Each structure stands twice: as structure tokens, then as C-alpha cells.
Amino acid sequence: MSDTAGGRFLLPPLALYIHIPWCVRKCPYCDFNSHAAGPTLPEEEYVDALLADLDIDLQHVHGRPLTSIFFGGGTPSLFSDRALGRLLEGIERRIAFAPDIEITLEANPGTFEQAKFKGYRALGINRLSIGVQSFQEAKLKALGRIHDGGEAIRAADMARAAGFDNFNLDLMHGLPEQSIEDALFDLRTAIAQAPTHLSWYQLTMEPNTVFWNQPPVLPEDDLLWDIQEAGQALLAAEGYAQYEVSAYAQPGKQARHNLNYWTFGDFLGIGAGAHAKLSTPHGRILRTWKTRLPKDYLDPGKVYQAGERVLDSDELPFEFLMNVLRLTDGAPTELFSQRTGLSLQQLEQARREAERRGLLQGDDTRLAATAKGQLFLNDLLQLFLA
């Protein structure tokens, strides 16, 4: 802990993100760092590289245990339980695990094998995030997905049979030619699988994707709004409380890894293209990013880290609020100083203007957007730009 810029800086909790960059096939809407897998995956070489990458990043741990680990992608479930087991063992030899650590693995229904998932659960992986997107054949085909609706349902069944009592289903809305009835069918089908968590978010057109260059016909804005309102009402009625812009959970089942991210916690990032946000005991905050292409990441002649940038103090208010204001309940006001080392007084003028416009709650103990502020989050954030 150290004094910085009028506040008391505390090192935040530490998480670990692991990027597995391969998929069976690249989806046309996806702008993540993912690449079509060949007939064989370089599992052993990639695990070796991940552990070597982590060794270099151990300087940023500062004695903190890992509160969560998240395997993202790509499709991490393409890797065998043996490879992931060796990786987790290697990580735990290097960094202590918190007693209640949350370990999440992303998976797609088309890659589900019940025996493999029992193996994952035996490793200590205790949460799955299953990329369903839709349960309807026409919508899945339009999205370029390789599974069908039946496989998605079986994936949830297999997750439970493998011992996972905590899992997320990923769903999209605003799909090509989607009606309110289509969107609600997907939600009802998902809810019937009894996930503890649902990520429900709108399909967007991102640069450097097939859909960006060849955009499908999407629902009009009025229909998108109707879908959003009807879906949120259904989720609330079924006991899924919204705690972030696109995240809904049963009581006590919010994704702890994501909560750490949204409350400006620290996270290490290893793997091709992985990003990290890290704090130093002296109050500096930096963002790092790793070599993006798998072939370069696996090249022993190249370095893992592609870049690093220290955040300026005048950037920190926006960086902090860009995350915490996505949360329905926001964050306690004291968290601002704890995470940034800055005085809350720096926000005073912008806070009062945001409150005057009805975008920020008038609560001196919390930083939280109003319902209107959640809808116009970009407008709210602009008030805090330096």
C-alpha cells in the first residue's frame, strides 16, 4: 500500500485470463483473436509457452493469490483435460490459489464430450460458459455455428452430469430476421436448462469480420428495443437478476471473474493476444498485450509480450468508470480511490452534472448509473473524459 495523488492505493484482487486461440471454424460475427484449428492442435507446445509466458509475468503478482481463472478463446474445450491439467498444476506451483477460486472454461456445444467434461471437473474447473447463441436452426445457420439446438440442450445436460452445478449459457438477440417470439423462445429454452447464469447480448457488427463486410439484415431499432424490454422482463420473472449490461444471474451466482474485471481489479493475461491490467505497489497502472498470432506466440525466437502502456492519471477516472458503471449497482465510492489512488474530489464536477441530467444516481455512497444512464452509458461516460 502506498500514498498516491491524494488517495490510498491498495493492490486489488488478482485474476488470470488464459487465451486458447483455436476454433473448429471462425464465425462470421466474431472479432476475437480466434483461428481455425488444423487436424491436430499443438497442445503440449502451447502449454509450455503459456507457463513460460506466466513466468515472465510473475513480477506482477506481489504475493496475491488468484481469485479466479478464466479460459477464453477461441474454444478452450478443444484442449484435452490432460493438457489443461498440466497447465493448472503449473500455474498453482507458481501462484497460490484462493481457497474459493472460481475457474471457468468456455465451451461450445459442438465440442462437448461428456467424458472430457468429467475430466475437466476433476481438475478443479468449477464453472462452464457454454456458447449457445440460439436454439433455432435457421438462426444458428445464419450465425455460422456448427451445432444445432438439440446439441445445445444436450450440452447443458452433460454439464450437469459431469458435476457442474454452476454454468453460464451465452445467448444473442437482434439476430437476422429475429422476431420477439424468436428471441423469447431462445430465452425460455435457455431458462428451461436451469443455468445459474445467462449472458444475453445483442449481435453487433464489428470491423474485421465477415458480417462487417457482408452485413446481414438485422431487426429495426424499435423491434430491438421491444426484444430487450420483453427479454429483461422474462429474465426477472424467472429469478435472473441483471447485474451488468448483458449479464443475468441467480442469487449469488454472478461471475466472479467478470466482477473483478468490472470493478477495476487486476488480471494477468497469458496466451496469444491476451490482454492484462496490472497495478504496482507504487500506484502505477499498466495495460499489457501479448503477441497475437499463434505461430508467433509459439516461436521461441519471439517475445510473448507485444506491448505495454502505463495509464496516465488523467485517464484513470474514465477507465475506472467505463467498467463499474456497466454494473447495475455500480460500486461504492471508496473503491474509486482504492483502485486508482486518486481523490474522489476529482469526479465532483462531472458527478453533479451527470446527476443533474438524470444519468447518475444521487447517492454519495455509490457510483451507479440510473436506468436512464444505463441506456445512455456512452453519454454518461463522456462527462468524465479529462
Side-chain angles (χ1 to χ4, degrees), residues 109-166:
T111 65
F112 259 78
E113 300 171 26
Q114 188 164 332
K116 182 192 286 188
F117 280 80
K118 285 183 177 178
Y120 291 154
R121 186 67 190 90
L123 298 176
I125 296 171
N126 51 22
R127 186 175 180 272
L128 291 179
S129 182
I130 306 170
V132 171
Q133 314 315 350
S134 177
F135 291 92
Q136 298 170 73
E137 308 308 316
K139 301 296 182 285
L140 289 167
K141 184 176 180 180
L143 292 172
R145 304 294 287 174
I146 62 171
H147 67 272
D148 59 35
E151 283 179 303
I153 292 171
R154 288 193 294 277
D157 290 339
M158 283 191 281
R160 277 188 294 271
F164 287 95
D165 58 3
N166 189 15

Side-chain angles (χ1 to χ4, degrees), residues 104-335:
T104 301
L105 179 86
E106 286 187 337
N108 286 331
T111 65
F112 259 78
E113 300 171 26
Q114 188 164 332
K116 182 192 286 188
F117 280 80
K118 285 183 177 178
Y120 291 154
R121 186 67 190 90
L123 298 176
I125 296 171
N126 51 22
R127 186 175 180 272
L128 291 179
S129 182
I130 306 170
V132 171
Q133 314 315 350
S134 177
F135 291 92
Q136 298 170 73
E137 308 308 316
K139 301 296 182 285
L140 289 167
K141 184 176 180 180
L143 292 172
R145 304 294 287 174
I146 62 171
H147 67 272
D148 59 35
E151 283 179 303
I153 292 171
R154 288 193 294 277
D157 290 339
M158 283 191 281
R160 277 188 294 271
F164 287 95
D165 58 3
N166 189 15
F167 66 93
N168 169 66
L169 296 182
D170 250 23
L171 279 180
M172 286 183 175
H173 60 88
L175 305 181
E177 301 182 14
Q178 189 177 49
S179 64
I180 294 179
E181 291 74 20
D182 289 335
L184 293 180
F185 173 85
D186 276 345
L187 271 179
R188 290 191 182 102
T189 305
I191 291 166
Q193 311 318 309
T196 49
H197 189 284
L198 277 162
S199 297
W200 189 60
Y201 51 93
Q202 185 178 324
L203 172 64
T204 56
M205 302 296 101
E206 302 293 344
N208 303 313
T209 65
V210 173
F211 275 3
W212 181 263
N213 296 312
Q214 303 169 34
V217 178
L218 300 181
E220 298 290 338
D221 286 347
D222 286 349
L223 179 54
L224 289 172
W225 177 249
D226 291 342
I227 288 173
Q228 182 84 13
E229 280 198 315
Q232 288 179 331
L234 173 61
L235 286 161
E238 294 292 339
Y240 291 89
Q242 183 178 16
Y243 69 97
E244 190 266 343
V245 170
S246 57
Y248 305 78
Q250 293 177 347
K253 296 299 184 179
Q254 296 90 342
R256 280 188 274 151
H257 186 87
N258 290 344
L259 279 175
N260 182 63
Y261 182 89
W262 290 320
T263 53
F264 215 48
D266 277 2
F267 56 96
L268 298 159
I270 59 173
H275 286 239
K277 178 258 173 181
L278 302 160
S279 306
T280 73
H282 304 294
R284 292 198 316 160
I285 297 175
L286 56 145
R287 294 197 180 276
T288 69
W289 54 96
K290 301 298 172 65
T291 299
R292 187 173 185 276
L293 294 177
K295 68 179 180 63
D296 293 335
Y297 187 81
L298 289 168
D299 184 344
K302 298 189 176 181
V303 296
Y304 297 115
Q305 185 162 302
E308 174 181 310
R309 189 173 75 85
V310 177
L311 298 180
D312 293 332
S313 60
D314 59 2
E315 296 179 88
L316 292 177
F318 181 83
E319 288 271 342
F320 175 86
L321 293 167
M322 181 174 61
N323 288 287
V324 302
L325 292 181
R326 288 180 62 92
L327 294 168
T328 305
D329 292 334
T333 50
E334 63 263 25
L335 195 68

Side-chain angles (χ1 to χ4, degrees), residues 43-89:
E43 284 190 339
E44 293 300 314
E45 297 92 332
Y46 197 69
V47 169
D48 288 340
L50 288 168
L51 292 173
D53 187 1
L54 182 60
D55 281 334
I56 297 169
D57 281 355
L58 292 179
Q59 61 181 308
H60 300 297
V61 174
H62 302 298
R64 292 172 289 178
L66 290 176
T67 59
S68 65
I69 297 173
F70 194 100
F71 290 92
T75 307
S77 55
L78 291 176
F79 268 39
S80 67
D81 57 346
R82 183 183 58 80
L84 295 187
R86 186 165 75 87
L87 176 57
L88 285 170
E89 288 174 6

Side-chain angles (χ1 to χ4, degrees), residues 11-33:
L11 283 174
L14 181 67
L16 172 64
Y17 174 77
I18 303 168
H19 194 74
I20 309 291
W22 292 282
C23 285
V24 174
R25 185 172 68 192
K26 182 82 171 178
C27 295
Y29 57 84
C30 179
D31 69 334
F32 295 143
N33 183 32

Side-chain angles (χ1 to χ4, degrees), residues 329-383:
D329 292 334
T333 50
E334 63 263 25
L335 195 68
F336 176 75
S337 295
Q338 291 173 7
R339 294 288 192 265
T340 67
L342 302 175
S343 169
L344 188 65
Q345 188 64 31
Q346 292 189 222
L347 301 181
E348 185 66 19
Q349 185 175 346
R351 282 179 71 190
R352 299 314 168 203
E353 178 60 20
E355 290 171 8
R356 188 187 68 79
R357 298 189 190 185
L359 301 175
L360 194 72
Q361 293 181 21
D363 182 347
D364 287 338
T365 68
R366 297 195 70 79
L367 292 165
T370 61
K372 179 182 176 182
Q374 288 281 331
L375 291 175
F376 299 101
L377 193 55
N378 287 337
D379 294 336
L380 171 55
L381 290 170
Q382 287 297 314
L383 297 174

